[in-house]
Each structure stands twice: as C-alpha cells, then as structure tokens.
Amino acid sequence: MDSEAALFHTAVYDAVRTVPWGCVTTYGHVAKMIDRPSNPRQVGHSLKLLPQPSVSAGSAGSAGSAGYDSATVPWWRVINSQGRISKRANSNDELRQLHRLLQENVHVDPDLLKVDLSMYGWFPATDWD
C-alpha cells in the first residue's frame, strides 16, 4: 500500500473510532471529517479493507500494524447517506452490520435495512458544513 493510501485509511479509521456507541454516521460525513469531502466511496473501501482481528499485523500493511482491525474500528456505525446499510456482494456482511447496530440499541428497519438518521445520526461540525 502506498503512503498516501495508508494515510487515508488511517484517517478514516481514526474518524470512525470517534463515532459514539448507539449512533451512526455516513460515509460522506466521515469523508468531510477527514477533509476529503469528495471521497465517500473511498471511505467505504477503506472500511472494507479492515483486517479481521485474528489476521497477523504483518499481512495487513500499515493499517494492521497500527492496531486497526474490524474489532477496534466500529465500521458498523457507518451507513449510506439515505440511512441504509449498504448492499454488499455477501449479504452476510449486511446482516453482521445489522446485528452489531441492534446490539447498540440502534433501531434498524429489518425490511429496508434503514436507520432513522434524525434519531441515531451523529454529525459533528466540519469545515465542509
């Protein structure tokens, strides 16, 4: 991984770690938080690349060696701008996110996989608001 990509991933992971328990934010808002407002899709890609906790740090590049993994970065708290859990190739990943949010008492419409952003959304001010 090149250094610019590693810095982007690290910024994403650090920003996502600030999302409080029981709240959600959007890929777009994370992008604003790291001063990259035009890169919400890359935020999603960064979260997709989070290694599993059992993966050795050496195989995950700089993100893994800094202690970032799917147990230490609450990836499940980031959803799309419509308040929905994003569709994935593997629907099990959508269900994992649903269950993690439910464990935090975030109500998710089970049919739409949608969260009420006015109730559970966390959107701290950024320079882009």
Side-chain angles (χ1 to χ4, degrees):
M1 175 181 325
D2 68 36
S3 62
E4 184 177 345
L7 288 172
F8 183 86
H9 294 314
T10 298
V12 168
Y13 301 154
D14 287 340
V16 172
R17 281 180 165 173
T18 68
V19 180
W21 188 93
C23 296
V24 296
T25 197
T26 63
Y27 299 106
H29 198 77
V30 172
K32 287 180 184 180
M33 290 170 67
I34 64 169
D35 292 324
R36 299 289 292 273
S38 61
N39 296 107
R41 288 182 189 215
Q42 287 80 357
V43 168
H45 184 71
S46 292
L47 294 174
K48 179 181 174 182
L49 295 177
L50 273 169
Q52 295 299 313
S54 61
V55 174
S56 67
S59 66
S62 62
S65 63
Y68 300 110
D69 61 41
S70 62
T72 64
V73 177
W75 57 270
W76 58 90
R77 296 179 187 155
V78 185
I79 59 178
N80 72 27
S81 61
Q82 288 78 44
R84 291 194 167 107
I85 293 173
S86 296
K87 294 285 183 190
R88 298 186 178 85
N90 180 351
S91 63
N92 287 334
D93 291 338
E94 295 166 32
L95 293 176
R96 278 192 325 135
Q97 187 169 13
L98 168 67
H99 291 293
R100 295 297 293 261
L101 290 171
L102 292 173
Q103 288 173 339
E104 294 189 8
N105 298 320
V106 174
H107 175 74
V108 182
D109 179 306
D111 297 321
L112 300 175
L113 295 180
K114 187 170 183 175
V115 174
D116 182 348
L117 290 175
S118 67
M119 181 174 271
Y120 298 100
W122 182 76
F123 302 103
T126 71
D127 291 340
W128 301 97
D129 295 325

